[in-house]
Amino acid sequence: MAAHTNMRLPVPRQVDHNKRRAEVVEIATDLIAEGGLDALTVRNVAKAAGYSTAIVSHYFADKRELLFHIYRAAVARAGARTAAILAADPCDLDGCIDALLPLDDERCRDWQIWFAFWGMAVADPDFAAEQRARVTDAQALFKSIFEARRRAGLLPPDTDCEIRARLWVSLIDGLAVQAVFDRADWPPERQRRIIDEAIGQR
Amino acid sequence: MAAHTNMRLPVPRQVDHNKRRAEVVEIATDLIAEGGLDALTVRNVAKAAGYSTAIVSHYFADKRELLFHIYRAAVARAGARTAAILAADPCDLDGCIDALLPLDDERCRDWQIWFAFWGMAVADPDFAAEQRARVTDAQALFKSIFEARRRAGLLPPDTDCEIRARLWVSLIDGLAVQAVFDRADWPPERQRRIIDEAIGQR
């Protein structure tokens, strides 16, 4: 068997394109978080990744397309965090809030990406449409949690889960806007304190 | 007297620099709101204002300085709106909230400017410091309203006005993030409905 194995013809090395795309997105994410939108160029990404600009351009036509995928990757990370929480307990509102609030470096980085995206979405109809779709997803996620809590008897039967979801998405977005730019002033305890202050809505 | 007036020597036309600076900022604000950060160049601003790039550069060294002043002007507009409300009634929380929420084109434009600024502040320490200072101002403004309401007996004596202020700034910021990108989904009645849903905190 060993001899047979040694006799195999060499297989051409396959490039795993999905993996490489994800790797480029990851590197570009760090570039934005550290250097801002101006640092996001195909050239800078190629340099940081150790690829030619041609390879990076093969995956992403330009800075705008890169930013779009960086944004989606950050949304996917946050989505994976909340999905894991809700798989364990569909009523776990506090767990989901913790999964989204900028409580650590990783979650802060996701928010930095979202802020950069919003800045560009101000006058970019495609980005604005993407942002609308993601906000709708977030509202639906929180609505599903409030509905689960209502079914479980944790909330009164006449609770308006739709309005409550919009309220909580607002609260989390707005808290992040303050906390990410002033982390010293917003340690995790203070972020959770604001959430507790709004406990009447939970 | 008429003869005397006619005999006055012509006075050299004085350029009102403050007025001209404000005019350039106003024009640059429209450029961002309509074309985004990429549209904000000294050249574009000069063209839209009918000035040479040299004149615009005399007032603002570069795009970054322009954006800084555009941001401050939007903050000043919002500050003038809330100051007028509070001068009439220091307890008028709803009036102040209305003055800030993106309920019309003018207020939406101010939010667009703030989003663009946040996008740049992600990796710009000076912009981030400015953003922190303005958030601190907003928290102080709302704290003063809650303190006035507490003194007037509208809130219980043990109300934590500091935490309550942070909660409301969060709520307004986060609501705006959703509403400005999806105005059809966020008519003024729905924005006010979210505020009413949180009425227990008022």
Side-chain angles (χ1 to χ4, degrees):
Chain A
M1 285 300 287
H4 174 76
T5 302
N6 286 338
M7 281 167 61
R8 279 195 315 197
L9 290 172
V11 176
R13 221 169 76 190
Q14 286 285 124
V15 173
D16 183 335
H17 288 289
N18 286 337
K19 196 177 155 191
R20 199 183 256 183
R21 277 179 75 97
E23 184 197 343
V24 169
V25 165
E26 180 65 22
I27 285 162
T29 298
D30 283 337
L31 277 178
I32 290 197
E34 283 153 28
L37 282 166
D38 288 340
L40 183 69
T41 63
V42 168
R43 189 191 169 93
N44 281 350
V45 172
K47 197 176 162 196
Y51 292 133
S52 67
T53 55
I55 287 184
V56 174
S57 299
H58 172 71
Y59 296 108
F60 305 100
D62 54 20
K63 169 182 178 147
R64 194 167 161 276
E65 199 180 319
L66 253 173
L67 183 55
F68 194 84
H69 287 274
I70 289 167
Y71 173 83
R72 286 217 161 156
V75 169
R77 281 193 296 276
R81 291 197 298 269
T82 54
I85 300 283
L86 295 178
D89 176 4
C91 290
D92 191 356
L93 176 63
D94 285 352
C96 260
I97 292 171
D98 266 13
L100 295 173
L101 286 178
L103 299 171
D104 63 12
D105 290 346
E106 186 201 348
R107 284 166 279 185
C108 271
R109 200 182 69 146
D110 287 344
W111 283 103
Q112 288 178 296
I113 299 306
W114 296 328
F115 298 161
F117 189 84
W118 299 345
M120 296 302 287
V122 159
D124 186 314
D126 296 332
F127 280 23
E130 176 72 10
Q131 169 63 13
R132 277 195 294 279
R134 298 293 75 77
V135 165
T136 304
D137 289 348
Q139 290 167 353
L141 179 88
F142 276 90
K143 191 178 174 197
S144 78
I145 302 173
F146 288 119
E147 285 171 346
R149 294 175 72 80
R150 190 173 58 185
R151 275 194 304 275
L154 296 166
L155 286 172
D158 63 347
T159 302
D160 186 334
C161 296
E162 158 81 23
I163 286 290
R164 194 157 291 212
R166 286 173 182 260
L167 171 63
W168 278 94
V169 173
S170 299
L171 194 53
I172 293 168
D173 277 359
L175 201 154
V177 165
Q178 295 173 82
V180 169
F181 291 114
D182 202 354
R183 291 184 65 184
D185 189 47
W186 287 92
E189 316 84 68
R190 182 168 267 159
Q191 294 188 39
R192 293 200 179 96
R193 176 79 203 283
I194 300 292
I195 299 299
D196 287 337
E197 174 75 8
I199 197 167
Q201 305 303 326
R202 211 180 293 187
Chain B
M1 284 299 286
H4 173 75
T5 301
N6 287 338
M7 281 167 62
R8 278 195 315 197
L9 288 172
V11 176
R13 223 168 75 188
Q14 286 286 123
V15 173
D16 183 337
H17 288 289
N18 286 337
K19 194 177 157 192
R20 199 183 257 183
R21 278 179 74 98
E23 183 198 345
V24 168
V25 164
E26 180 65 24
I27 285 161
T29 299
D30 284 337
L31 277 178
I32 291 196
E34 283 153 28
L37 283 165
D38 289 340
L40 184 68
T41 63
V42 168
R43 191 192 168 91
N44 281 350
V45 172
K47 197 176 162 197
Y51 291 134
S52 67
T53 56
I55 287 184
V56 174
S57 301
H58 172 72
Y59 296 108
F60 304 100
D62 54 21
K63 169 183 180 148
R64 192 167 162 277
E65 199 180 318
L66 252 173
L67 183 54
F68 194 84
H69 287 274
I70 289 167
Y71 174 84
R72 287 216 161 157
V75 169
R77 280 193 297 275
R81 290 196 298 268
T82 54
I85 299 283
L86 296 177
D89 176 3
C91 290
D92 191 356
L93 176 63
D94 285 353
C96 261
I97 292 171
D98 265 14
L100 295 173
L101 286 178
L103 298 172
D104 62 13
D105 289 347
E106 185 200 349
R107 283 167 277 187
C108 271
R109 199 181 70 144
D110 286 344
W111 283 104
Q112 287 178 297
I113 299 307
W114 295 329
F115 297 162
F117 189 84
W118 298 346
M120 296 302 287
V122 159
D124 186 314
D126 296 332
F127 279 23
E130 175 73 10
Q131 169 64 12
R132 278 196 292 282
R134 297 294 75 78
V135 164
T136 304
D137 289 348
Q139 289 167 354
L141 179 87
F142 276 90
K143 191 178 173 195
S144 77
I145 302 173
F146 288 119
E147 285 171 345
R149 293 174 72 80
R150 190 172 60 184
R151 274 195 303 276
L154 295 166
L155 287 171
D158 64 347
T159 302
D160 186 333
C161 296
E162 160 79 24
I163 285 290
R164 193 156 291 211
R166 287 173 182 259
L167 171 62
W168 278 95
V169 173
S170 299
L171 194 54
I172 292 168
D173 277 359
L175 201 155
V177 165
Q178 295 173 80
V180 169
F181 291 116
D182 202 354
R183 291 184 66 184
D185 190 48
W186 287 92
E189 314 84 68
R190 180 169 268 159
Q191 294 188 41
R192 293 201 179 95
R193 175 79 202 283
I194 300 293
I195 298 299
D196 287 338
E197 174 76 7
I199 196 167
Q201 304 304 324
R202 210 180 292 188

